[in-house]
Amino acid sequence: MSEVKVVKFGGSSVADAIQLTKVKAIIDADPARRYVVVSAPGKRYDGDNKVTDLLYLCKAQLENNIGCEQVFQVIGDRYKAIEVNLGVDCDMKDELDAIYKKLVSGGSKDFIASRGEYLLARVFAAFLGYDFVDAAGLVCFDAKGRFLEDETNEKLAAELAKHDRAVIPGFYGTLPNGEIHTFSRGGSDITGAIVARAVNADVYENWTDVSGFLMADPRIVKNPKPIDRITYSELRELSYMGASVLHEDAIFPARAADIPINIRNTNEPDNPGTTIVAEVSGPSDKIITGISGKKDFVTISIAKNTMNNEVGFIRRILSVFESYNVSIEHLPSGIDTLSIVCDKKYVEDCLSDIVEEIERKYKPDKIEVHEDIALIATVGRGMSSRPGTSAKLFGALAKAGINIRMIDQGSSEMNIIVGVDNNDYKDAIRAIYSEFVTE
Ligand code: ADP
Ligand code: ASP
Ligand code: MG
């Protein structure tokens, strides 16, 4: 059977007609690139707006009884310019008028947000001469908005089998009642992976504005080294912990079907980028594969003598968090200590109530709260075979004068997470990077 590649192009790759022309050249260069998933147009330059952000803004303005005509005009102008500059005719004006009507008559937030991808897929399909296949009705969610993988796979596979070449909008699908529902931000990466699975692609190429996954966020570390090959598990850890190149949930559909993901740069198409695979054979020549991190966590540290002997103690503490509907990110523990790490946004309104309830009900010897904590994950399949990795990491942070507020070393032996103050976030990443990446 001939080779099939699914290609997804992110916001900056589809930001305007110039970028879309580059994208067409990439697609035309390889006949296997038959299924194309697109994001909404992103930023064309620093300080520009992403269309998705502008669409959310329209909705927010309407909710606050402020008209959104001007913002919608800016969005419309971008699409009309794309249509004209690409020299295609896809009734953009009518499409925009219909969306505006729906917007002002109470169209849902998800519906409005999804139109960024929808319109771009329409105009780009016309430019490529590919079929337009709407994600609505094919990418399915349950009534609670949870993605339905099997149903989606069945429907998408059946539909795409009818199209030799197609453009599919990313980011959204439908609820059982037919309403549009979106994935979380950056979700076109997930659509790309779902399409790759549905057509049983040989590879899922994810085209963006960097030449693959780098060992650290290029906005923090200057010229970080690229990663040639990385395993799904390493990537999952890095992207979950903030490396925003690929949506963390994009890994599952590709992994389920054993489809390698290749991250590539639209502005540097000859660079082979990063390949993400199930396993990399042989030992890793590097101790660490990458570093990523996120700010704004809270740690609640509890000390109680003989905590370990008290059957059900941890469960009782956790049930307090559950009763406030707070999900827990990490749970590092010692013999008589337990730290609970959660995302600040989930505890903003209830932190003092949770602490008070734990003190009152379970009488710990000590309870300490640290707000404004950043978590940094140092990830590498090569770590488990190299003793002394954590000592080296902690030493690097000490040398840089950074206090470690929390340590969590997962049992996978592939990931060491440290908590530092938000203010130390960038310095900590730089310190770890320069300790492990020498040449
Ligand atoms: P797209 O719009 O193509 O989906 P994103 O903005 O979602 O692109 O992801 C690419 C961006 O991710 C890069 O421009 C870069 O700033 C950022 N990034 C964060 N961490 C990393 C990393 N470790 N390697 C490469 N890029 C990273
Ligand atoms: N356009 C959406 C966003 O900005 C989805 C995506 O780009 O992947 O989040
Ligand atoms: Mg993205």
Side-chain angles (χ1 to χ4, degrees), residues 149 237 378 418:
E149 54 180 314
E237 304 266 1
T378 305
V418 291

Side-chain angles (χ1 to χ4, degrees), residues 316-332:
R316 286 193 288 276
I317 297 285
L318 295 186
S319 69
V320 177
F321 287 82
E322 193 178 341
S323 68
Y324 285 89
N325 210 12
V326 171
S327 74
I328 287 163
E329 210 70 26
H330 294 280
L331 202 64

Side-chain angles (χ1 to χ4, degrees), residues 46-93:
D46 268 357
D48 192 20
N49 291 302
K50 296 182 177 187
V51 163
T52 311
D53 289 331
L54 294 176
L55 289 164
Y56 282 125
L57 183 62
C58 285
K59 183 67 187 167
Q61 290 192 337
L62 286 173
E63 276 168 359
N64 288 293
N65 297 320
I66 309 168
C68 66
E69 229 173 322
Q70 279 177 342
V71 181
F72 196 79
Q73 178 85 37
V74 172
I75 299 169
D77 287 349
R78 280 187 74 169
Y79 283 99
K80 284 188 216 151
I82 290 174
E83 187 187 37
V84 169
N85 292 332
L86 293 183
V88 295
D89 180 1
C90 57
D91 305 323
M92 194 50 82
K93 191 181 169 305

